[in-house]
Amino acid sequence: MATRTDAPTRREQILREAARLFAERGFHGVGVDEIGAAVGISGPGLYRHFAGKDAMLAELLVGISGQLLTGGKRCVADADGSPERVLDALIDGHIDFALNDRSLITLHDRELDRLRDTDRKLVRQLQRQYVEIWVDVVRKVYPDLAENAARVCVHAVFGLLNSTPHLSRRDVLPSRTAMAELLHGLARGAFAAAVA
């Protein structure tokens, strides 16, 4: 999945810091003044960008779910006809997310229930669509795998990849490249084991 290289906007800076702080101390453990201080503006200055903390949380969780879905669709659209390559691209894209956005994984695990019903339903809808992209590709690579089994495998692989925030401190983990290769091999191994 593509990553941006231009400087983040103020809004993006606020969201990044809000995600980090929410993941570290919990949604209710962080005030707008702290988020503002982290990006060099006053707490009340945040209200020029967001209606409040709830809006930040919704944008973070709906946003990342939408980005994953868009990236998954892009992997399929950019395919050269090889389901194996599409699956590798999907895995690599999700690994990029898992290694780059650890705080968003933590935030999703802990704070999804704090979203308004409409936002939570939207997150779940986007996630289901993302899962179904994977299920379709996995079944092309492993045609003997039943649809329900493929879905279970996809969720299990997500669990494996999304476990990165629970790993040891970043400074004692293998290099990012080695970590990505390890996670990729584990993900492919999980799918292969399902049909072994």
Side-chain angles (χ1 to χ4, degrees):
M1 289 177 207
T3 56
R4 284 180 43 161
T5 56
D6 50 336
T9 66
R10 174 64 79 182
R11 187 176 180 85
E12 290 167 337
Q13 291 171 345
I14 292 167
L15 286 172
R16 183 175 52 239
E17 289 304 314
R20 180 183 65 78
L21 291 167
F22 293 158
E24 286 175 4
R25 298 204 305 262
F27 180 73
H28 288 302
V30 178
V32 291
D33 290 335
E34 294 167 277
I35 298 169
V39 295
I41 61 176
S42 70
L46 290 178
Y47 294 110
R48 287 194 300 269
H49 302 278
F50 296 95
K53 286 189 340 179
D54 291 340
M56 289 179 218
L57 181 64
E59 188 160 331
L60 285 164
L61 295 181
V62 171
I64 194 58
S65 298
Q67 288 172 30
L68 287 168
L69 176 58
T70 298
K73 288 178 179 178
R74 190 178 314 118
C75 287
V76 172
D78 292 347
D80 63 356
S82 166
E84 294 271 351
R85 282 195 206 120
V86 177
L87 182 57
D88 285 334
L90 286 169
I91 293 169
D92 288 341
H94 201 93
I95 288 171
D96 284 344
F97 158 66
L99 295 178
N100 295 339
D101 294 309
R102 290 168 62 155
S103 60
L104 287 176
I105 294 170
T106 300
L107 192 59
H108 179 276
D109 289 347
R110 292 184 190 160
E111 310 291 353
L112 181 65
D113 289 343
R114 301 206 188 283
L115 290 179
R116 294 177 310 179
D117 285 345
T118 54
D119 291 326
R120 189 171 49 254
K121 286 177 183 173
L122 179 55
V123 167
R124 292 297 191 201
Q125 176 187 8
L126 294 167
Q127 290 172 340
R128 280 192 299 274
Q129 292 174 43
Y130 181 57
V131 166
E132 292 311 309
I133 288 172
W134 279 69
V135 169
D136 183 58
V137 173
V138 166
R139 292 198 69 221
K140 288 177 181 166
V141 175
Y142 303 102
D144 293 336
L145 197 58
E147 184 176 336
N148 286 340
R151 194 169 290 108
V152 168
C153 290
V154 167
H155 281 286
V157 166
F158 287 173
L160 175 114
L161 299 178
N162 291 348
S163 68
T164 58
H166 310 292
L167 300 174
S168 187
R169 295 184 337 256
R170 283 184 190 228
D171 60 338
V172 296
L173 292 174
S175 71
R176 189 189 190 292
T177 301
M179 191 71 183
E181 289 174 3
L182 175 62
L183 289 170
H184 191 103
L186 290 169
R188 284 305 295 258
F191 289 125
V195 293

